[in-house]
Amino acid sequence: MTVKTILVTMRQDYIKDYGEYRDSIDNTWFKFLHQCNLTPCLLPNDSMLAEQIIQNTNFDGILLTGGGEYDTKLSDERSKIEHKLLSIALTYKIPLIGVCRGMQAIQQYFGMQLYPVQGQVTPTQSIKFNNQIVQVNSYHTLGTTQTNQDLIVKAIGLDNIIKSVSHISAPIEGIMWHPERNVNFSEIDIQLFKSRYNQ
């Protein structure tokens, strides 16, 4: 069994009672990644420190996690780091998966405009994925029914909202559902992660 190391982004939340900004990640990600034979290397939402980690870590892939909407103006640290990681993945052909906000980052990096969508916050939703109807969760308020020449649609909701994309040539893939939020992890999601990170 080969265990690979991947860089993992985190969300940032302001804790009003303490006056603190905290970086965090749902710890179910650790359980899910373990099942995928992946070891996470967490990236703080600090551009200088994140750059040092990127430069000094031997990593096999990149994961852009969810939580919050993507900042198109790159005015926050997390969005700047995600943009940098996408550039690295594209330039060096490093496998990258974007989940929810992470997929939004992929779409907007390649020039897609997202807009408010309805009915996309639900614990269960039917989508067409790999030519079959599957059930996934959904927790986003921005999306699109359009794509462009850079991104191939891999999954779509029954309402035509795009749920998964992959880059036409680079090993970059996005999904709008959260595999870590399933009570029992989906074998489809586990195989998706294993195949993308070449295991």
Side-chain angles (χ1 to χ4, degrees):
M1 179 181 67
T2 301
V3 178
K4 295 194 173 184
T5 298
I6 59 172
L7 300 179
V8 178
T9 61
M10 294 187 284
R11 66 184 299 154
Q12 187 172 80
D13 297 301
Y14 180 67
I15 310 301
K16 185 177 180 180
D17 289 347
Y18 294 92
E20 297 175 353
Y21 286 95
R22 295 183 182 176
D23 293 341
S24 63
I25 184 172
D26 186 337
N27 67 14
T28 57
W29 266 118
F30 303 137
K31 299 177 178 66
F32 176 77
L33 293 174
H34 176 72
Q35 290 204 16
C36 299
N37 302 327
L38 297 167
T39 297
C41 175
L42 301 180
L43 286 179
N45 290 305
D46 179 287
S47 294
M48 291 182 62
L49 185 55
E51 180 68 27
Q52 290 180 15
I53 294 171
I54 292 168
Q55 293 293 329
N56 293 288
T57 303
N58 292 321
F59 58 93
D60 305 292
I62 299 166
L63 171 62
L64 308 183
T65 62
E69 305 288 0
Y70 187 69
D71 178 5
T72 58
K73 296 180 181 178
L74 303 183
S75 59
D76 71 298
E77 289 289 279
R78 182 181 177 184
S79 296
K80 292 176 186 176
I81 293 166
E82 290 169 338
H83 190 86
K84 170 75 172 181
L85 291 170
L86 278 161
S87 296
I88 291 171
L90 186 64
T91 301
Y92 298 103
K93 306 297 183 187
I94 295 173
L96 180 149
I97 295 177
V99 172
C100 199
R101 173 197 161 111
M103 176 168 144
Q104 293 174 345
I106 292 169
Q107 288 174 300
Q108 294 184 340
Y109 182 90
F110 290 104
M112 293 307 305
Q113 296 297 313
L114 305 178
Y115 53 84
V117 290
Q118 303 297 317
Q120 305 303 311
V121 180
T122 176
T124 306
Q125 185 181 65
S126 297
I127 66 169
K128 187 175 182 181
F129 182 54
N130 290 337
N131 297 314
Q132 59 181 325
I133 300 298
V134 299
Q135 300 296 311
V136 298
N137 55 47
S138 182
Y139 299 101
H140 64 102
T141 58
L142 296 178
T144 182
T145 59
Q146 305 295 318
T147 192
N148 59 20
Q149 71 278 2
D150 294 313
L151 300 175
I152 300 167
V153 175
K154 296 189 66 179
I156 194 166
L158 302 185
D159 52 6
N160 293 321
I161 300 298
I162 294 172
K163 290 293 184 174
S164 178
V165 295
S166 64
H167 189 266
I168 192 168
S169 59
I172 294 173
E173 184 165 358
I175 58 175
M176 283 308 298
W177 61 92
H178 287 257
E180 81 284 6
R181 292 187 183 178
N182 293 323
V183 175
N184 296 308
F185 300 133
S186 165
E187 189 61 30
I188 291 175
D189 291 334
I190 291 172
Q191 291 307 315
L192 185 154
F193 271 62
K194 284 185 174 181
S195 63
R196 177 53 68 192
Y197 295 118
N198 300 314
Q199 297 190 71

